Amino acid sequence: MEYFLDMPQHYAKAENAKYVLIPVPYDGTSTYMKGAEKGPQAIIDASDSIELYDIQTGLEAYKSGIFTDKHTYSFLSPEKMVEEVKERVHYFLQQNKRIGLLGGEHSISTGAIEAFAKLYPNLSVLQIDAHADLRDSYNGSIYNHACVMRRAQEFANVVQVGIRNVCTEEKNSIIPENIFYAHGICGKTEWMKKAIDRLTEYVYLTIDLDGFDPSIAPATGTPLPGGLLWYETLTFLELLFKSKKIVGFDVVELCPQSESKITDVLAAVLVYKIISMMEKFN
């Protein structure tokens, strides 16, 4: 597919779109399974299977227009990638578009978060993820996917949900009241309000698909057992959207598998759910 969702082409044109999806097919610093550069197109392709009416919100959010960006990146280095993404996000922010990024590995979030932080000085970042991603540097780069939330802390207040993998180095960068470990929230709901209360008014939402349990989202570069399930995540997101202003988002770390499209579809549905919640609550 050329653009997200099987919708009439009129709604996919930039001049008619309230929303912009920016595919960033980058996989330059992944350290386990490669293939995240194929994630954005896999999400777009899987979106062909989605109905345009969203049951949860009762909306056909596509009617507000969703443009899928066609920009080509050079990706000469992690540093260059971050700068290019920042510039692209800034370009659409100047047009007052509502922006989501399709990854690609998690390092693509860094440039986007920096761009949003310039527009929203009191920005918070809500991270759903299996990994803390708080290393200051990894494999010779401060823009490695393992460093994305450490960089985000330089620009914003960061709240982390679903974390279940942390290295010793990262412990010094953890803010205890801002992290909600998977083992501590499993089977509970009271954590949701506590996490949202740690956020400021304006929030950038970043979702690494390995934040989900691999039983429902196996196709990620670094899957880990014990993640979030679908409906508890949607319950949390709905409460989030009702409570805060979500100014932008990304869905990252899809590593497509040829034998199964389950995670591709989950990611595509998630993107449309986020847009639908933006439309209804923000």
Side-chain angles (χ1 to χ4, degrees), residues 181-200:
Y181 292 107
H183 69 272
I185 65 177
C186 180
K188 303 173 183 177
T189 59
E190 61 270 19
W191 64 270
M192 297 183 184
K193 184 178 185 303
K194 291 179 181 178
I196 291 169
D197 285 346
R198 296 299 304 167
L199 298 165
T200 54

Side-chain angles (χ1 to χ4, degrees), residues 1-3 23 25 37-46 102-103 254 256:
M1 289 182 66
E2 293 185 7
Y3 53 81
E37 78 279 2
K38 299 176 182 176
Q41 189 59 52
I43 293 173
I44 292 167
D45 290 344
L102 309 180
L254 173 61

